[in-house]
Amino acid sequence: MNVLATPQSTSSAPKPAEHFDILIVGAGISGIGSAYHLTQQLPDKSFVILESQESFGGTWLTHRYPGIRSDSDLHTFGYRFKPWVGPPIATSEEIKSYMGEVIADNDLGKHIRYKHRIERASWSSATNLWTIEAVRTDSGEPMSFTANFLWMCQGYYRHSRGYTPQWPGMDKFKGRVVHPQSWPEDIELGDKKVVVIGSGATAATLIPAIAGKCAHVTMLQRSPTYFRVGRNAIELAETLRQLQVKEEWIHEIVRRKILFEQDAFTRRCLAEPEQVKEELISQITAVLGPDYDVEKHFTPKYRPWRQRIAFVPDADLFLGIKSGKASVVTDEIDRFTEKGILLKSGQELEADIVVTATGFDLCVLGDIAFSIDGKPLNFGDTVTYRGMMFTGVPNMVWVFGYFRASWTLRTDLVADFVCRLLGHMKAKGAKKVVTALRAEDHNMPLLSWIDPENFNPGYMMRNMNLLPKRGDKPEWQHSQDYWAEKDEIPGIDLDDAAFVYD
Ligand SMILES: Cc1cc2nc3c(=O)[nH]c(=O)nc-3n(C[C@H](O)[C@H](O)[C@H](O)COP(=O)(O)OP(=O)(O)OC[C@H]3O[C@@H](n4cnc5c(N)ncnc54)[C@H](O)[C@@H]3O)c2cc1C
């Protein structure tokens, strides 16, 4: 099945293109999971995974700052097919080692080409093929591939750099400014005063990891964030292990328990936000004590779940604050000074190192220049089919996971869908599938990818115009609702008029 085909564009690709039935973009948790499902469900298909980095892991390879860990439990962030046997919150090393086992156990390594950055993807209706032009990041050599189907597992943010807002005076600051996404190996924390700008999951992970290793660390936030506090352990898993229940069963039972509880929690956030808010905040007061100003530093203005809620295992962030090794300042930055940061309140925070835990740069489909029959493709002009396919874009699926549940739950669901779709195409003798609005959809309002009333993290809000549009019917949106989609996605009628085959 792995044959050589003539490339459509030869300008920068002197070698003949290599052909695969399916080309998977990215060797992160989505790409590796998708490859696994493909080998299990459609073992006759040829495929390749192209990955620009030097190894697998994606997010868990890119982020190397101290303390880097998941904020989801690994029973649900892990794949449904491979039991997670460690504590629920895992380090990036543990996640990479889990993924490494999936690759080794299923002989996936032979399908992965590292150091291949994809730059262009062009669809030809004449051949019903994608031509993918990549560059070897080590030698600069152009590489060309053709594929019948593109499986986009490139994530949602730019791996090469994080998002750092520009503040006045940054050029005058005598210390060092570091983004957690490009954590320098040579950084000495020793006797340094560190200010971390931001209060999301990254700040919550980094601060306890460096508190005690530097002179002092301050979390500087414009406004408070919600956190959940709990033990980094699942009692039920421990009990089942004591009873020598098989790990496969424990994985499944604990997944069901966690998903059941998350579903109930999400519903409560919508039905009784004030009560949930109080519960979350009281967990923090319990650690910091009644004299700490929890109202000012840990009481958000928005309702719970509008942004991801970071889990703080064993209350480590709050214990760091209680010990005095870390502190929190809630204020706005006026400007950087030579010595640190001047706040709008007039206070100056002295710093030797400023860490900008200010988030990601959203990146739609891996910064790849897409075209269809020679015409550049702007994803902002398309409408999404359930956050997986895009109107007018043939033979392509994007794995965009969940924010309120573990991302990987959707990787497994989308993989089943892709394999079913490819099987259906084979049965029909179709070479091409594209989604299109049906007659009844033509007057449908077209809205932004995510409803900002529902979920509104900064990296999404900054770049919403780059993302495909959403309609007001379940078929034409990414609902972010695992509990509905776990039944809806397997039930999709592939002969619905939204799918056009050729
Ligand atoms: C610090 C951090 C912690 C997180 N913690 C959680 C968590 O606990 N739970 C959760 O559900 N989610 C979490 N997330 C979200 C997380 O990104 C996803 O859960 C998940 O890891 C995404 O996996 P992915 O494989 O889809 O994408 P990524 O991990 O982003 O991997 C994509 C891969 O594609 C490659 N790639 C991209 N473009 C190209 C190209 N043009 N050519 C070749 N290769 C390309 C990249 O190099 C990368 O290796 C976290 C995110 C961050 C940044």
Side-chain angles (χ1 to χ4, degrees), residues 26 29-30 51-52 58-59 63 71-72 77 118 159 308 360 366 407:
I29 195 119
S30 302
E51 167 56 60
S52 60
T59 293
H63 287 80
D71 64 353
S72 298
F77 190 73
I118 301 173
H159 280 253
R308 203 183 170 92
F360 320 115
W407 181 275

Side-chain angles (χ1 to χ4, degrees), residues 124 128 136 149 191 208 293 297 316 324 345 349 355 421 423 452 460:
S124 162
N128 282 330
R136 283 205 60 135
F149 200 92
D191 54 351
D293 196 349
H297 300 305
D316 58 4
S345 63
L349 277 182
V355 181
L421 181 66
M460 284 280 167

Side-chain angles (χ1 to χ4, degrees), residues 24-33 49-65 68-74 76-77 79 89-90 95 99 113 115-120 132-135 137 152-160 180-181 201-202 205 308 359-360 363 365-369 398-409 411 459:
I24 297 176
V25 181
I29 195 119
S30 302
I32 300 302
I49 305 179
L50 299 186
E51 167 56 60
S52 60
Q53 304 203 62
E54 68 284 4
S55 187
F56 60 88
T59 293
W60 308 103
L61 178 68
T62 299
H63 287 80
R64 297 170 191 197
Y65 57 82
I68 168 80
R69 66 186 177 206
S70 68
D71 64 353
S72 298
D73 71 275
L74 257 290
T76 61
F77 190 73
Y79 304 112
I89 299 298
I95 299 173
M99 288 174 67
R113 309 273 175 94
K115 301 181 185 171
H116 280 62
R117 187 180 64 241
I118 301 173
E119 301 206 319
R120 278 185 296 281
I132 291 92
E133 289 171 58
V135 171
T137 58
M152 302 298 299
C153 297
Q154 79 299 326
Y156 61 99
Y157 67 89
R158 193 159 292 128
H159 280 253
S160 55
Q181 198 172 317
T202 302
T205 312
R308 203 183 170 92
F360 320 115
C363 154
L365 293 140
D367 281 334
I368 298 167
W398 178 13
V399 179
F400 193 112
Y402 298 113
F403 288 123
R404 287 187 182 138
S406 286
W407 181 275
T408 322
L409 292 164
T411 303
Y459 54 89

